[in-house]
Amino acid sequence: MAKILVVDDRPINREFLMALLPYGGHQVLEAVDGAQALEVVRAEAPDLVISDILMPTMDGVEFVKRLRTESTRSATPVIFYTATYRVQEARKLADSCGVTHVLAKPSEPEMILKTVNEMMGAATQAATPAPRLPSPPSGFLSANADVQGLGALGNRLNDHLTDLQRLNEQMATVLHHGTILAAERDRLTEICNRLAESSPRLQALSLRVAALLELGLDLASERGVTRLLDVFCRGAHNIMSARHAAVGILNTEGQTLRYFVNKGLSADQQTELRHPAQTDVFRRLLKQSQSVRLRDLGGDPQKAGLPATHPPIHNFLGVRIATARQVYGWIYFADKLGSDEFSDEDERLALTLAAQAATAYEGIKLFDDLQHHAEALQREVAERQRAEAEVRRLNEQLEQRVRERTAELEAANQELETFSHSVSHDLRAPLRGIDGWSLALLEDCGERLDAQGRNHIALVRSETQRMGQLIDDLLDLSRVGRSEMRHENVDLSALAQSVADELRSREPERRLEFVVTPGLTVEGDGRLLRIALQNLIGNAWKFTGQRKQAKIEFGLVDQWIDGLAGRSLPIDSVIHQSTNPLIHQSADPSIRSDTPVFFLRDNGAGFDMAYATKLFAPFQRMHKASEFPGTGVGLATVQRIIRRHGGKVWAAAKVDEGATFYFTLSGRKGSV
């Protein structure tokens, strides 16, 4: 038994030899390239190496040259086993590195084993020695045994007879099973014979499949059409084992060939094949999806529909190269080597090869289109870069204008600040004077005035105080729009409760139920949000003043309460789908359904929704000053604060049935 190393980068080739060589009683090792083979040789010291020639990392020739430099393993015999090179080329490479035996793929299994045995000088195995029979018992025929000894011997013979009968029965059973095993052995022998008969065909088929896969890999790596078609034609020519092979790819008009490659034709013989529209067999191939297979042509190419200048042929197989979208050309093979005709298997293989060629050619066309598209994109990128440069220039101009406008706004804000200071001090002084002198007049001369005079003075004081409050509200509104925003976590529930507690402390006699949903938090400016809640809750406090049992609620909307119909509706359907005119006017349809909506609801005087568009404008009031005091600036302040937080505010109400104010903040979810 010899230790044999198989070196091949194709797993299917290694598996074939590893399955075959043990039939010759050999131990098999494997390596995927020459570099790994050197390591195995050093570690395992094989008696023989069977190596492919063309391999990645280190090919077979380089491997043998390095093996010969190994001091302890330089004499290891090597067999080249390759399907990549022709025999003559492989022979030259073998001679160049001292290899004496070359096997071409495919080779018969018997030939492989014979070559291995010749290399190793295998000896025939020795015959198995026949088993020896047991010797008779000593003293069995003794002449001096007495009668008692003969009796004992008779008893022992009876025991042996009993044992022999039992053994005879067991032997019969064994013979029966032996007959079955013999039949099974014959059946297995027949199977082995069949496998041996089919082994060459399986080997050839496996090598064809390996070559087909290798060709597919080669095609996938090519990026030039001419090189791609040349590689394809050479590979298909070898796989099909044909004397002649040719590939033609059509021009756009389909009358002549744009590309033509062949194996086995001279330059003169190629000329007429470049016009497929004038060649019968090519016209037939291009019109139908089936292949064309011919035999018994007697060497006459015209019987196959080829020009008379074509070399003599005896059998023919042609298929068109096409995808589902387009027909690109054809490929044909002439004169199957070692056979009178191309087989069904050859036809299926040719169709597979044509499909490979069509896919690879279409891929290269797409690659070319992508390159053209990339060039167009590069031009577009350059144009965009020019446009971006122009945009940057315009932006610089815009930034300059923004800086100038910012400076103007800062100056205007400074003037507004000065004006606010003047309003706060210069206008307040005359108002304080008017109020003070009116009070002095009432106190000093009140007895001389009649009732109407005293009433006029009271009205003057009241209007003066209202104007002072109006100035304060305007200043607050101005500060809300100009103050810097702070971002922090704000507990709206705590703010609302704090505002309500302040109002209760001013009017402890009021009977009012105040309900706050706890734990409502948002991100925003706590100072500004407090001002907004002071105005909203202050309005609700004011407009419920005439209710015996007043109620104010603050919370997060889960169900929309339709005050007109007394129904609870899902917030999503109300904001985006409601047909209620009141709700449709007040609810903003741009608000997303997952945005938290907060509400402040009261059961006070309410207002007419016909005037809802004026609700948040400064100095606009829904009620007379004689009914409810105020300046009409509070809700304008609320709207400005909500907008600065990226939110929206709106209201729904009905006269004498209360009002509900809704608002969102930044579109962010509040935590409950």
Side-chain angles (χ1 to χ4, degrees):
M1 180 181 71
K3 186 186 296 183
I4 301 176
L5 171 62
V6 175
V7 188
D8 201 307
D9 61 321
R10 298 295 183 186
I12 190 171
N13 294 337
R14 298 198 305 273
E15 291 171 2
F16 170 73
L17 291 176
M18 292 180 70
L20 174 65
L21 294 173
Y23 281 102
H26 303 297
Q27 178 186 353
V28 184
L29 306 173
E30 62 176 331
V32 300
D33 55 36
Q36 186 180 11
L38 281 175
E39 297 177 0
V40 176
V41 168
R42 293 163 184 163
E44 299 293 339
D47 302 306
L48 175 66
V49 179
I50 301 177
S51 175
D52 191 10
I53 295 180
L54 184 60
M55 294 181 293
T57 308
M58 182 187 294
D59 60 27
V61 176
E62 181 64 21
F63 159 68
V64 173
K65 289 180 179 179
R66 294 197 182 187
L67 178 65
R68 297 305 182 224
T69 63
E70 297 281 335
S71 59
T72 59
R73 306 290 179 235
S74 60
T76 303
V78 179
I79 297 175
F80 274 162
Y81 182 60
T82 178
T84 305
Y85 293 87
R86 296 183 183 278
V87 176
Q88 295 82 352
E89 295 170 331
R91 183 68 267 168
K92 292 178 182 178
L93 291 173
D95 293 338
S96 69
C97 58
V99 175
T100 58
H101 287 72
V102 176
L103 289 174
K105 299 177 185 176
S107 292
E108 297 293 335
E110 293 82 1
M111 177 60 69
I112 296 174
L113 291 175
K114 179 180 177 182
T115 304
V116 169
N117 290 333
E118 288 177 355
M119 291 287 291
M120 301 308 302
T124 59
Q125 297 181 356
T128 302
R132 293 182 302 169
L133 294 175
S135 302
S138 60
F140 179 73
L141 300 177
S142 176
N144 299 319
D146 55 14
V147 174
Q148 184 178 359
L150 289 174
L153 182 59
N155 293 333
R156 291 174 61 190
L157 285 174
N158 288 332
D159 294 338
H160 280 296
L161 287 174
T162 302
D163 292 339
L164 285 174
Q165 288 177 353
R166 185 171 63 254
L167 290 173
N168 191 32
E169 293 173 356
Q170 293 176 356
M171 183 62 71
T173 303
V174 170
L175 289 175
H176 175 70
H177 288 297
T179 303
I180 297 175
L181 289 175
E184 188 68 20
R185 182 195 60 190
D186 294 340
R187 190 174 69 86
L188 291 175
T189 301
E190 182 180 357
I191 293 175
C192 290
N193 292 334
R194 290 181 180 179
L195 288 175
E197 292 174 358
S198 61
S199 178
R201 182 175 177 275
L202 290 175
Q203 180 199 16
L205 181 60
S206 65
L207 292 176
R208 265 192 169 186
V209 171
L212 190 62
L213 293 174
E214 186 173 0
L215 178 60
L217 294 174
D218 292 339
L219 294 179
S221 64
E222 295 296 337
R223 288 294 177 266
V225 176
T226 303
R227 172 65 181 167
L228 171 84
L229 295 176
D230 185 67
V231 169
F232 171 71
C233 186
R234 183 176 66 251
H237 174 250
N238 291 334
I239 291 172
M240 296 297 294
S241 299
R243 190 179 305 278
H244 307 293
V247 177
I249 301 298
L250 297 170
N251 268 327
T252 305
E253 72 278 1
Q255 299 299 314
T256 58
L257 295 180
R258 182 177 183 183
Y259 301 102
F260 180 79
V261 293
N262 72 94
K263 295 297 176 184
L265 298 178
S266 65
D268 295 337
Q269 293 167 343
Q270 298 175 26
T271 304
E272 294 188 41
L273 295 178
R274 291 183 175 273
H275 300 278
Q278 302 174 9
T279 307
D280 293 339
V281 69
F282 296 151
R283 287 200 303 269
R284 181 179 171 188
L285 282 175
L286 295 175
K287 289 181 180 179
Q288 65 183 36
S289 58
Q290 293 85 3
S291 59
V292 175
R293 183 160 49 128
L294 304 172
R295 60 171 297 181
D296 297 331
L297 300 177
D300 185 0
Q302 291 182 314
K303 288 184 178 181
L306 295 171
T309 56
H310 192 283
I313 62 173
H314 299 83
N315 44 65
F316 175 91
L317 175 60
V319 295
R320 73 177 184 180
I321 298 174
T323 63
R325 295 186 298 178
Q326 187 175 350
V327 176
Y328 292 109
W330 42 258
I331 179 172
Y332 82 87
F333 307 95
D335 279 3
K336 172 75 172 179
L337 298 178
S339 178
D340 294 334
E341 63 175 337
F342 289 96
S343 64
D344 293 342
E345 181 181 319
D346 292 329
E347 185 174 356
R348 289 191 294 269
L349 187 58
L351 290 171
T352 301
L353 289 168
Q356 270 189 326
T359 302
Y361 179 72
E362 193 170 75
I364 285 187
K365 285 192 63 181
L366 290 175
F367 180 76
D368 291 340
D369 293 342
L370 285 175
Q371 283 188 319
H372 294 318
H373 184 61
E375 294 172 358
L377 286 177
Q378 288 179 345
R379 291 192 295 270
E380 183 178 347
V381 167
E383 184 63 29
R384 287 189 177 184
Q385 289 175 342
R386 288 192 293 270
E388 288 174 358
E390 179 66 17
V391 169
R392 284 194 295 270
R393 186 182 66 80
L394 294 175
N395 283 339
E396 291 173 357
Q397 294 180 356
L398 180 60
E399 289 174 0
Q400 179 62 30
R401 294 177 61 184
V402 168
R403 286 193 292 270
E404 294 173 357
R405 182 60 57 86
T406 301
E408 294 174 0
L409 289 175
E410 290 176 351
N413 284 335
Q414 185 63 38
E415 293 177 2
L416 182 59
E417 194 70 33
T418 303
F419 173 74
S420 299
H421 185 271
S422 298
V423 169
S424 178
H425 294 84
D426 298 345
L427 291 183
R428 284 177 183 277
L431 288 176
R432 286 194 298 269
I434 293 172
D435 185 53
W437 288 114
S438 298
L439 179 60
L441 179 63
L442 186 61
E443 291 176 348
D444 296 342
C445 305
E447 296 178 353
R448 304 178 199 175
L449 297 174
D450 58 11
Q452 185 177 5
R454 288 193 295 273
N455 186 48
H456 288 336
I457 292 175
L459 288 174
V460 169
R461 292 196 67 207
S462 175
E463 291 300 319
T464 301
Q465 293 170 1
R466 196 168 76 86
M467 186 173 182
Q469 183 61 47
L470 182 60
I471 291 172
D472 289 340
D473 291 344
L474 285 174
L475 289 174
D476 289 340
L477 182 62
S478 173
R479 293 190 189 100
V480 164
R482 292 183 289 111
S483 63
E484 183 178 354
M485 283 279 293
R486 295 178 297 178
H487 294 280
E488 56 190 349
N489 287 328
V490 180
D491 189 336
L492 288 182
S493 300
L495 282 183
Q497 189 64 55
S498 174
V499 172
D501 292 342
E502 290 178 4
L503 292 172
R504 286 183 188 277
S505 66
R506 295 176 191 171
E507 298 183 53
E509 72 281 357
R510 282 282 302 273
R511 295 182 60 189
L512 183 142
E513 179 185 3
F514 191 80
V515 180
V516 178
T517 300
L520 300 180
T521 61
V522 295
E523 183 180 331
D525 190 314
R527 179 179 55 84
L528 293 179
L529 291 175
R530 183 179 182 86
I531 294 173
L533 288 178
Q534 283 176 336
N535 281 282
L536 288 174
I537 298 174
N539 275 354
W541 184 275
K542 175 172 60 178
F543 289 114
T544 57
Q546 299 177 2
R547 291 286 185 264
K548 292 182 179 181
Q549 185 58 49
K551 183 176 182 180
I552 300 175
E553 298 177 72
F554 175 70
L556 184 67
V557 174
D558 290 324
Q559 296 285 323
W560 192 289
I561 307 299
D562 185 346
L564 295 179
R567 298 176 297 145
S568 294
L569 303 173
I571 180 67
D572 183 37
S573 65
V574 172
I575 291 179
H576 298 292
Q577 301 165 7
S578 177
T579 58
N580 187 316
L582 179 149
I583 296 172
H584 183 69
Q585 287 180 357
S586 60
D588 191 332
S590 67
I591 298 174
R592 292 174 45 181
S593 61
D594 60 346
T595 300
V597 179
F598 302 92
F599 71 88
L600 194 289
R601 181 184 298 120
D602 66 71
N603 63 342
F607 57 86
D608 189 348
M609 285 296 292
Y611 304 102
T613 55
K614 301 179 180 180
L615 190 62
F616 297 99
F619 312 117
Q620 298 293 328
R621 292 174 48 82
M622 301 290 107
H623 304 84
K624 296 179 181 179
S626 58
E627 296 177 333
F628 300 99
T631 61
V633 180
L635 289 180
T637 302
V638 170
Q639 185 184 57
R640 185 166 295 186
I641 291 173
I642 297 301
R643 284 181 175 175
R644 291 202 68 187
H645 283 78
K648 299 179 183 294
V649 59
W650 68 96
K654 191 174 182 182
V655 176
D656 204 34
E657 293 187 10
T660 304
F661 285 83
Y662 303 93
F663 65 90
T664 63
L665 297 171
S666 301
R668 299 177 182 172
K669 270 192 179 299
S671 61
V672 181

